[in-house]
Amino acid sequence: MTDVFDDDPGFDARELRLVKAVADAGSITGAALELGYSQPAVSQQLKRLEQRLGVAIVERVGRSVRLTDAGRILARHAPAVTTALDAAAGELAELQGLRAARVRLMAFPSASPTIVPRLLADLAVRHPGISLTYVEAEPPEAVDAVREDRTDIALTFSYPGDRDDPHGTSARGLDVRSIGVDEMLAVLPKGHPGARAASVDVASLADDSWIAGCPRCRGHLLELCGRAGFAPRIAFETDNFVAVEGLVAQGIGVATLPRMAVESFPQLPGLAIVPLPAGEQRTIHTVTARGADRVPAVRATLSALARLVAGPAAAPGGEASAN
């Protein structure tokens, strides 16, 4: 009778994490720092793994190392394997009544002063055993970080008709959940003709100068103005929403900002914030690896994000559902 373990490949989750760390860091020293090992210990583990598998995992290139084809195969499969093992460990910890867990989060800049502090406060009350680490990143970088197992959850956004939407092909194979919307607002100088309106027709701003984001980030503005029949005359560009408000307050131009960005900073004198027509909004998403929500701490954090983004209308103690 054939032993069912005869085809055991001879590596474990720790070694997969090690190979993935070498891929991410580009060096054995960097991998050792990331994992908290000594450099000789990492080298010895890699050597033992290569001896068992009978193939080289790393090769030297000058003073650095890079993964071989075999190493790249292991690094590519590592996130799926380690996520599944983390899920199993988390479920066992939950079953045993243990609550200590770490969740890595990345989110876009306007979430930093708004959603993230509320999330930390919410978890401290509901799940005090969860330790949350946070890095600010724009959606494309955050989605890449999920795929590369550098974060557990990416909080992202998308605009209607966005040709560069990071939730398209770049998120293929990941779990993307829409958890709420963020209204878009016109930011006008106080003396602007549209400042007293209940809502601003974008076409009425065709003759104004505009404050816009960087070329990669202004897609929604171009699409919005294009639907209104004009190309915006962009006078200044900055991705700092406080700077945007400062420029508009001085009469330099007009702009659009998400409500989340506007509400994260006290309104400057000389500004008028006016809603755009209904339906002009961005959608807020969470992005995770497939199956990551089986990890109890990740699931609890996803639930808290959905509840907080949904806003005060969500039931105080209820669990928001993700689409």
Side-chain angles (χ1 to χ4, degrees), residues 106-109 137-148 150-151 154-158 162 164-168 170-171 174 216-217 287:
M106 283 191 178
F108 49 90
E138 293 288 355
E141 289 75 25
V143 171
D144 286 345
V146 172
R147 185 175 298 285
E148 296 167 5
R150 290 184 286 111
T151 192
L155 185 66
T156 62
F157 63 83
S158 65
D162 184 358
D164 298 319
D165 185 354
H167 307 89
S170 66
L174 303 177
R216 198 196 74 179
C217 304
V287 182

Side-chain angles (χ1 to χ4, degrees), residues 2-13 15 49 52-54:
T2 302
D3 190 330
V4 294
F5 295 108
D6 282 348
D7 295 327
D8 183 356
F11 52 80
D12 58 27
E15 291 167 333
L49 176 60
R52 288 204 308 275
L53 296 180

Side-chain angles (χ1 to χ4, degrees), residues 43-99:
S43 297
Q44 290 169 10
Q45 288 185 56
L46 285 172
K47 189 173 293 185
R48 285 196 295 268
L49 176 60
E50 289 176 330
Q51 289 171 348
R52 288 204 308 275
L53 296 180
V55 293
I57 300 300
V58 298
E59 57 185 359
R60 294 208 166 273
V61 181
R63 294 186 176 182
S64 63
V65 298
R66 67 184 178 192
L67 295 182
T68 63
D69 288 344
R72 286 192 289 272
I73 289 172
L74 293 179
R76 187 174 73 247
H77 288 283
V81 174
T82 56
T83 295
L85 290 172
D86 286 345
E91 290 179 21
L92 287 172
E94 190 173 54
L95 185 65
Q96 295 166 352
L98 303 177
R99 291 292 181 267

Side-chain angles (χ1 to χ4, degrees), residues 101-124:
R102 182 181 69 130
V103 175
R104 300 166 297 169
L105 173 69
M106 283 191 178
F108 49 90
S110 57
S112 294
T114 54
I115 296 173
V116 174
R118 292 163 56 212
L119 174 65
L120 289 166
D122 185 278
L123 292 176

